[in-house]
RNA sequence: UGGGGCGUAGCCAAGUGGUAAGGCAUCGGGUUUUGAUCCCGUGUAUCGCAGGUUCGAAUCCUGCCGCCCCAGCCA
């Protein structure tokens, strides 16, 4: 499906660096912090980092940026590995952690101290904030800024050895407290944190900060291009400052691109976590979540996610991409791979009054109209069927091509039927339609060449497999919940509707990960968490495009 | 009000001085036993605004406006 990958500004830089001989081979990295699940925004970073390496015969590391113990966990690292793999990328033996480099990082820190480029500060957190100044006022130097190298080294070693409590001291880079760039006002390099780490246990009680750990990990892994999002643009001067002071053998280059935001979705780990915590959704993998885990469970194909970010491109402009762009990718992939079946989501009983009592016919149905190689299947047909409630209308407008009193429709892969009588219950609700069929109109074999405007799907009542089907709608009611004051107020109360559907028998043994199309309705898959043969549970991945809905809408207006 | 970015049609996005690709959406139409798919066609884009340079500018210069990010011992 993807044509040649477009050459964006990053691929252009990489191409030039290869061409000029600056690098023989490019090395990238995808560096998530294991403090939450990956979401649609990360998909772009993953595809970019692994993508440019794949395209140029380079290498990519999956590196866990685990420098903040206490907020990170093994559950998240496993989820991240699973998600990256599912997306279709392979890091081979290049799975690393920033914590793998703690010894080397520590040595780099001492080197900074020895060259007078870093010092141990003993101000409190609040004091440091005060000394930092504001966006428009310069900060001022800490009274500890001019400690001797020996004193700094001694203090830093004692920090490492656990002699001080959390917050007592802080290793800072000595740059410029008056810099207009806040990141250069003597940024923190190492803080004391008496917490055990998921990987290094209690070996350390001081942990490196992001800027320091990230920059030097990149250098240690010989990363050539460190691709990150726009909010780190202000950090690049610090990134380069560290490389200038420490002069590692390999010098990486940081390049920033804009994040991808999807309309009607949220991509903030904090907010996603809030939805999980308060039970708004059933978990990080709730099929309504924009997490990779949620989208996988929902049934969105990995290829659709990759194609979606590919189409979006890589730029520096803030994007808020419409849902429709994503949904088109999903439908394109599914339309091609999903076999066709019949399933009735909102059943309405139809009795064929002139159909031979007790007769059952097996109707041949194509598994995919555009791919005959996928073969056919037999679907049982009988005198009692279910059709979709929406496919019958009592006071139908002229352009309604489906069933109406006295009107005719074709039953897909079956016969043409006419609606003779509408049966209601005491409350006036329609409970059944009495129809007659024309035996001469059987699909494929009928001798009649009668044409009717509409074709609807059906399931034989006696053979139907009842199933719980979860119908999803967007989680948020507004297009930009990310920038809403209170995103919880933007939730769509109709994001999940559960119905009991009637499915054709072939659907009884649908496997996990195998999407199908219910003709005229949408794409569905078995729910990987809740489904069982005894109690089937399916998810609606996405509806089919529905131009009738548009016509109806226009008629209303 | 300091610094760093970004501004091409409703949403994305090519374009790097020679007179505005493409995708999605929209709106028409054709095919169709899925109102799906598929196929055609459909956009006066004052290239944020205003000046300037040039034979010629979305592309260069100047000024202005708008939006995003930065004051964690988070990443």
């Amino acid at each position: 499906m993807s044509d040649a990958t477009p050459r964006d500004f990053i691929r252009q830089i990489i191409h030039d660096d290869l061409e000029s001989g600056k690098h023989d081979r490019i090395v990238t990295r995808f560096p998530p912090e294991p403090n939450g699940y990956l979401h649609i925004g990360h998909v772009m970073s993953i595809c970019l980092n692994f993508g440019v390496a794949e395209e140029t015969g380079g290498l990519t590391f999956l590196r866990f940026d685990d420098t903040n113990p206490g907020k990170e966990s093994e559950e998240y690292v496993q989820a991240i590995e699973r998600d990256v793999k599912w997306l279709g990328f392979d890091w081979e033996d290049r799975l690393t952690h920033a914590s793998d480099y703690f010894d080397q990082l520590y040595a780099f820190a001492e080197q900074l101290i020895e060259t007078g480029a870093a010092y141990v500060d003993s101000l409190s957190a609040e004091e440091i904030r005060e000394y930092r100044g504001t966006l428009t006022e310069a900060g001022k130097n800490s009274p500890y800024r001019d400690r001797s190298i020996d004193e700094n080294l001694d203090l830093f070693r004692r920090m490492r050895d656990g002699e001080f409590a959390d917050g007592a001291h802080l290793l800072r880079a000595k740059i410029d407290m008056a810099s207009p760039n806040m990141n250069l006002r003597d940024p923190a390099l190492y803080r004391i944190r008496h917490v055990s780490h998921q990987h290094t246990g209690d070996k350390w009680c001081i942990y490196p900060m992001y800027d320091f750990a990230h920059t030097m990990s990149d250098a240690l892994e010989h990363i050539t291009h460190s691709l990150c999002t726009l909010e780190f643009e202000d950090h690049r001067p610090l990134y380069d400052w560290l490389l200038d002071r420490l002069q590692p053998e390999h010098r990486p280059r940081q390049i920033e691109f804009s994040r991808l935001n999807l309309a009607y979705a949220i991509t903030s780990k904090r907010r996603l976590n809030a939805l999980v915590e308060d039970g708004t959704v059933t978990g990080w993998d709730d099929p309504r979540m924009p997490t990779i885990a949620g989208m996988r469970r929902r049934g969105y194909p990995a290829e659709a996610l990759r194609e979606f970010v590919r189409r979006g491109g890589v730029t520096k402009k803030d994007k808020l991409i419409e849902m429709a762009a994503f949904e088109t990718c999903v439908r394109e992939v599914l339309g091609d791979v999903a076999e066709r079946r019949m399933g009735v989501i909102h059943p309405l009983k139809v009795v064929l009054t002139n159909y031979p009592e007790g007769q059952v016919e097996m109707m041949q149905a194509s598994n995919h109209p555009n791919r005959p190689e996928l073969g056919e299947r037999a679907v049982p047909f009988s005198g009692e069927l279910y059709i979709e409630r929406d496919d019958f209308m009592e006071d139908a407008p002229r352009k309604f091509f489906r069933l109406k009193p006295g009107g005719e429709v074709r039953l897909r892969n079956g016969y043409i039927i006419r609606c003779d009588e509408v049966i209601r219950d005491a409350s006036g609700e329609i409970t059944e339609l009495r129809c007659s069929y024309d035996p001469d109109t059987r699909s494929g074999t009928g001798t009649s060449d009668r044409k009717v405007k509409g074709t609807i799907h059906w399931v034989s009542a006696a053979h139907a497999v009842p199933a719980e089907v979860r119908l999803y709608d967007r989680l948020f009611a507004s297009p930009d919940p990310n920038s809403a004051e209170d995103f919880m107020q933007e939730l769509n109360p109709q994001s999940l509707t559960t119905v009991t559907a009637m499915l054709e028998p072939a659907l009884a043994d649908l496997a996990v990960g195998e999407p199908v199309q219910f003709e005229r309705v949408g794409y569905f898959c078995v729910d990987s968490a809740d489904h069982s043969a005894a109690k089937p549970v399916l998810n609606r991945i996405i509806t089919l495009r529905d131009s009738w809905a548009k016509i109806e809408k226009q008629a209303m207006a």
Side-chain angles (χ1 to χ4, degrees):
Chain A
M1 148 171 315
S2 352
D3 303 304
T5 301
R7 180 168 292 174
D8 50 73
F9 80 103
I10 290 179
R11 277 181 245 253
Q12 185 62 52
I13 290 171
I14 285 171
H15 171 264
D16 292 347
D17 285 349
L18 250 15
E19 191 117 292
S20 72
K22 179 177 179 186
H23 300 293
D24 298 326
R25 180 167 71 175
I26 75 129
V27 185
T28 58
R29 99 273 90 112
F30 172 61
E33 179 187 11
N35 69 342
Y37 278 60
L38 261 24
H39 53 66
I40 184 71
H42 293 106
V43 174
M44 176 174 184
S45 177
I46 295 168
C47 290
L48 212 214
N49 278 293
F50 280 93
V52 296
E54 258 173 25
E55 293 154 23
T56 61
L59 268 24
T60 303
F61 283 80
L62 169 59
R63 181 171 77 224
F64 289 99
D65 225 326
D66 55 352
T67 55
N68 192 14
K71 293 204 167 179
E72 300 158 357
S73 82
E74 195 56 30
E75 176 201 349
Y76 297 129
V77 341
Q78 281 168 15
I80 289 168
E81 287 182 45
R82 195 185 314 132
D83 292 346
V84 174
K85 215 173 282 175
W86 175 76
L87 258 186
F89 298 103
D90 185 3
W91 54 84
E92 296 174 337
D93 59 345
R94 291 173 295 281
L95 174 68
T96 59
H97 306 78
S99 58
D100 295 339
Y101 309 124
F102 280 175
D103 287 312
Q104 292 155 93
L105 260 15
Y106 177 84
F108 278 130
E110 284 209 352
Q111 195 180 323
L112 245 19
I113 294 171
E114 281 160 4
T115 55
Y119 64 98
V120 173
D121 198 355
S122 305
L123 251 23
S124 68
E126 304 79 71
E127 289 169 321
I128 284 179
R129 196 188 327 121
E130 286 160 20
Y131 276 68
R132 186 154 31 230
T134 67
L135 294 178
T136 53
E137 301 161 42
K140 55 185 182 194
N141 289 172
S142 163
Y144 303 100
R145 200 173 197 259
D146 295 313
R147 288 215 255 230
S148 71
I149 287 174
D150 285 345
E151 187 183 2
N152 282 142
L153 219 39
D154 174 62
L155 249 15
F156 187 50
R157 287 174 180 164
R158 288 163 60 198
M159 279 168 64
R160 174 200 58 190
D161 295 340
E163 287 189 30
F164 308 113
D166 289 6
H169 302 287
L170 179 72
L171 184 72
R172 296 230 257 169
K174 191 187 286 189
I175 307 180
D176 178 8
M177 288 305 292
S179 173
N181 180 346
M182 301 299 287
N183 294 298
L184 262 23
R185 320 251 262 226
D186 290 9
L189 262 23
Y190 260 95
R191 78 286 217 183
I192 300 171
R193 187 152 299 183
H194 291 271
V195 180
S196 72
H197 186 281
Q198 62 271 25
H199 263 103
T200 58
D202 295 317
K203 178 178 178 190
W204 298 90
C205 64
I206 57 172
Y207 294 96
M209 299 292 292
Y210 163 82
D211 289 290
F212 184 64
H214 199 89
T215 304
M216 301 320 293
S217 295
D218 281 349
L220 257 11
E221 287 175 352
H222 303 180
I223 301 299
T224 55
H225 303 267
S226 184
L227 313 178
C228 63
T229 43
L230 245 30
E231 67 269 27
F232 293 104
E233 213 150 18
D234 284 345
H235 294 238
R236 186 169 6 110
L238 173 54
Y239 189 92
D240 289 332
W241 183 91
L242 286 164
L243 296 172
D244 287 342
R245 301 302 123 153
L246 267 3
Q247 291 292 317
E249 214 177 312
H250 294 265
R251 184 181 176 110
R253 199 239 271 216
Q254 175 179 306
I255 304 172
E256 312 83 10
F257 59 90
S258 62
R259 309 180 88 100
L260 173 160
N261 295 292
L262 217 206
Y264 296 97
I266 238 169
T267 48
S268 141
K269 280 185 189 170
R270 205 203 99 242
R271 292 178 162 192
L272 254 14
N273 188 242
L275 294 175
V276 174
E277 290 300 310
D278 82 345
T280 299
V281 295
T282 57
W284 286 95
D285 68 343
D286 185 296
R288 292 166 294 179
M289 291 282 268
T291 51
I292 296 179
M295 295 189 288
R296 173 174 56 235
R297 182 170 163 193
R298 170 77 166 261
Y300 293 143
E303 186 188 355
L305 302 203
R306 279 187 254 116
E307 177 62 12
F308 171 62
V309 304
R310 190 192 69 78
R311 290 185 192 182
V314 181
T315 65
K316 301 191 71 156
K317 181 175 145 189
D318 296 327
K319 332 170 191 284
L320 208 207
I321 303 183
E322 291 174 339
M323 231 350 174
F326 174 66
E327 294 182 332
T328 293
C329 295
V330 173
R331 291 193 180 106
E332 278 182 24
V333 175
L334 255 17
D336 196 42
V337 304
E339 289 202 359
R340 265 101 261 218
R341 296 290 184 269
M342 290 196 284
V344 176
I345 291 313
H346 297 112
L348 172 60
K349 174 83 79 67
V350 164
V351 175
L352 300 181
T353 51
N354 61 337
Y355 195 79
E357 182 86 36
Q359 184 179 333
V360 174
E361 289 178 82
M362 295 309 284
M363 314 303 278
Q364 284 305 115
S366 169
N367 286 330
H368 194 125
N370 307 325
R371 296 179 60 191
E373 73 276 15
L374 259 23
E376 298 186 329
R377 67 192 185 286
V379 187
F381 183 91
S382 68
E384 281 197 18
L385 313 167
Y386 290 113
I387 66 166
E388 210 68 63
R389 284 202 102 90
D390 288 352
D391 286 338
F392 174 76
M393 225 181 184
E394 274 200 296
D395 302 302
R398 214 118 323 248
K399 296 213 285 208
F400 185 78
F401 302 147
R402 284 112 91 161
L403 198 57
K404 49 191 150 190
E408 294 186 323
V409 261
R410 155 137 249 141
L411 292 179
R412 175 104 166 124
N413 304 126
Y415 297 93
I416 290 176
I417 62 169
R418 187 181 62 237
C419 175
D420 304 315
E421 193 184 352
V422 178
I423 312 290
R424 308 163 177 286
D425 64 14
S427 67
E429 169 139 7
I430 298 171
T431 54
E432 182 182 313
L433 261 24
R434 311 213 120 222
C435 303
S436 47
Y437 85 115
D438 178 348
D440 198 29
T441 56
R442 204 226 229 233
S443 281
T445 62
T447 54
S448 166
D449 57 355
R450 287 207 295 138
K451 292 271 189 222
V452 285
K453 258 310 200 173
T455 299
I456 64 174
H457 56 99
W458 52 273
V459 169
S460 168
H463 308 269
V465 176
E468 174 179 332
V469 173
R470 297 170 179 170
L471 309 175
Y472 299 105
D473 195 358
R474 40 194 55 151
L475 225 202
F476 291 92
S478 64
D480 192 10
N482 264 123
S483 50
E485 345 60 62
D486 180 3
F487 76 102
M488 286 292 195
Q489 292 297 305
E490 310 298 319
L491 286 164
N492 171 14
Q494 257 97 255
S495 62
L496 170 61
T497 307
T498 301
V499 298
T500 299
M502 293 297 179
L503 316 180
E504 68 165 85
L507 252 8
D509 35 43
L510 187 60
V512 172
E514 188 185 320
V516 291
Q517 182 194 93
F518 289 4
E519 290 195 273
R520 305 208 314 125
V521 180
Y523 296 96
F524 295 78
C525 69
V526 143
D527 184 75
S528 57
D530 301 336
H531 174 269
S532 69
K535 188 181 171 303
V537 178
L538 311 232
N539 296 320
R540 180 175 68 193
I541 305 168
I542 190 170
T543 61
L544 251 33
R545 194 172 259 120
D546 185 0
S547 57
W548 167 247
K550 259 178 226 163
I551 294 169
E552 264 189 320
K553 222 174 171 184
Q554 283 170 3
M556 303 276 277

